Amino acid sequence: MRVLGIETSCDETGVAIFDDQEGLLIDLLFSQIEIHKAYGGVVPELASRDHIRKALPMIKQALEESKTTIHDIDAIAYTAGPGLVGALLVGASIAKSLAYAWHIPAIGIHHMEGHLLAPMLSPDRPEYPFVALLVSGGHTQMLSCEGLGQYELLGESLDDAAGEAFDKVAKMLGLGYPGGPEVAELAKSGIAGIYQFPRPMTDRPGLDFSFSGLKTFTMNTLADIDAPTEQEKANIALAFQTAVADTIRIKCKRALDKTVHSSLVIAGGVSANLALRAALEKLSADQGCRLYYPEFKLCTDNGAMIAYAGLQRLKLGHDEDLSISVMPRWPITQLSG
Ligand code: KG4
Ligand code: ZN
């Protein structure tokens, strides 16, 4: 079985083909970073317009380069939400139209389920049940996962998502967008121990997160310094990143203790962060657990995770009518297996 996956939920057009025997045949990505950079964040209307320009030529390219004919494709998976409504509608419209023309099903995929399943594209894949930490630009969620579509929410961010906090701190430090990789790069030259940043919501029980106070703390620390040097900025970037990683580590420990699962999965853009990975590797070793994360290019948005999730959903049997609808807001706990 072969599934074409289309991701258009935000600022990346992703097109991929996944085969259940041969694995990932092709994974094309077009990032709109250059388009949105000047605005310091994603401009929804510009995102939709660019997805429209890119999606079909990328689908043609994916078919040609993977030597796949339309007759080899068993279903088309597309991101149905959550995300920017206009951007989602581009992918949904193209997917449903092609599926109608090719007489195959179209399968609407939950973007965060795509992220969640991305580690399963690696040869060493996690097995259910596991604790999953989804850390992206829009979401920070801790889940107990018993099977496909069987996700219990253990905790989530009450305000900013982890990636959003990275992006905002990057802005304060005068760095570019998206901010996560830039903060991580700057933090490399930071000196540890100069600042002690808070670990929000770790002083009370529970698995929810709050990154907004940490963001304000970072802003105030920066404001207290007259004309901060590059070194001072790097020290602050490191203190911020360490605080995020440490906060997440503390919450993951709680989730592992609570569920007694022996696998921890991290996914979403922030799971590319090496400091976070290192903190969770150490936690996993201490807990006698295994840590799984996607390969680097599959941490951030991509078509491969949508194609893969589509294949899993196709195997369960899936039928959608031809009306095109998307869900800009869509709790992952509403999914079923
Ligand atoms: O999963 P993703 O591509 O998009 C959403 O679904 O939101 O995540 C993007 C987020 C951005 O906030 C970006 O700054 C962050 O992931 N990010 C990182 C790193 N790479 C991407 N944050 C910290 N460290 C990184 N290396
Ligand atoms: Zn994403």
Side-chain angles (χ1 to χ4, degrees):
M1 276 193 284
R2 211 169 264 203
V3 174
L4 171 70
I6 305 171
E7 156 63 35
T8 64
S9 68
C10 190
D11 59 347
E12 251 124 18
T13 316
V15 172
I17 299 175
F18 190 87
D19 182 285
D20 66 345
Q21 299 301 315
E22 296 171 45
L24 186 60
L25 300 182
I26 187 140
D27 181 26
L28 302 177
L29 191 74
F30 180 81
S31 167
Q32 302 177 352
I33 284 177
E34 288 305 318
I35 296 171
H36 303 292
K37 221 176 188 168
Y39 306 93
V42 181
V43 183
E45 178 63 23
L46 296 184
S48 312
R49 288 186 209 172
D50 202 63
H51 286 309
I52 286 189
R53 268 193 291 273
K54 296 291 173 347
L56 271 179
M58 286 172 69
I59 290 168
K60 183 167 181 280
Q61 184 188 346
L63 291 168
E64 283 170 6
E65 289 185 11
S66 65
K67 301 196 169 28
T68 299
T69 72
I70 59 173
H71 307 291
D72 302 324
I73 301 284
D74 296 288
I76 304 181
Y78 64 96
T79 305
L84 303 171
V85 63
L88 290 167
L89 281 168
V90 173
S93 306
I94 291 175
K96 286 228 169 167
S97 306
L98 288 179
Y100 178 51
W102 298 353
H103 307 288
I104 54 176
I107 306 175
I109 296 297
H110 191 291
H111 180 78
M112 297 312 293
E113 180 173 73
H115 277 302
L116 174 66
L117 301 181
M120 297 191 183
L121 283 145
S122 299
D124 182 23
R125 35 169 52 215
E127 304 237 344
Y128 299 106
F130 51 75
V131 168
L133 172 76
L134 300 180
V135 267
S136 71
H139 294 82
T140 302
Q141 294 185 320
M142 189 83 80
L143 301 166
S144 171
C145 305
E146 301 287 335
L148 184 73
Q150 290 163 26
Y151 312 129
E152 183 198 345
L153 185 67
L154 302 174
E156 64 185 332
S157 179
L158 305 178
D159 40 58
D160 292 358
E164 193 179 352
F166 266 98
D167 293 337
K168 289 177 177 168
V169 164
K171 243 184 197 172
M172 292 172 205
L173 292 169
L175 303 172
Y177 153 88
E182 302 225 5
V183 172
E185 186 55 35
L186 182 61
K188 278 187 194 165
S189 45
I191 301 164
I194 307 260
Y195 301 103
Q196 184 58 28
F197 279 32
R199 274 56 173 157
M201 295 186 74
T202 54
D203 57 349
R204 68 199 90 162
L207 290 161
D208 286 333
F209 299 87
S210 165
F211 291 109
S212 153
L214 185 57
K215 181 190 66 189
T216 310
F217 191 93
T218 309
M219 193 168 69
N220 293 340
T221 306
L222 199 59
D224 282 346
I225 309 170
D226 282 337
T229 61
E230 274 310 296
Q231 184 60 58
E232 281 163 335
K233 285 187 187 174
N235 298 344
I236 289 173
L238 179 61
F240 166 77
Q241 176 177 261
T242 307
V244 172
D246 203 35
T247 303
I248 289 176
R249 178 190 58 79
I250 293 166
K251 299 285 171 162
C252 284
K253 179 177 184 326
R254 284 185 195 172
L256 289 166
D257 288 343
K258 182 180 164 127
T259 57
V260 212
H261 295 336
S262 55
S263 301
L264 173 62
V265 169
I266 52 168
V270 185
S271 70
N273 187 277
L274 292 179
L276 176 64
R277 287 185 178 194
L280 297 182
E281 285 286 10
K282 175 152 190 331
L283 168 70
S284 303
D286 292 348
Q287 297 274 121
C289 290
R290 283 286 315 274
L291 176 68
Y292 298 87
Y293 36 76
E295 62 173 285
F296 264 114
K297 70 180 176 90
L298 298 182
C299 288
T300 45
D301 293 349
N302 62 83
M305 67 186 195
I306 303 303
Y308 180 80
L311 181 71
Q312 308 316 310
R313 293 267 161 207
L314 179 66
K315 285 181 181 166
L316 289 183
H318 195 95
D319 201 15
E320 281 185 17
D321 65 25
L322 280 177
S323 66
I324 294 166
S325 64
V326 294
M327 280 167 282
R329 292 180 184 279
W330 186 9
I332 195 169
T333 45
Q334 280 181 4
L335 295 177
S336 54

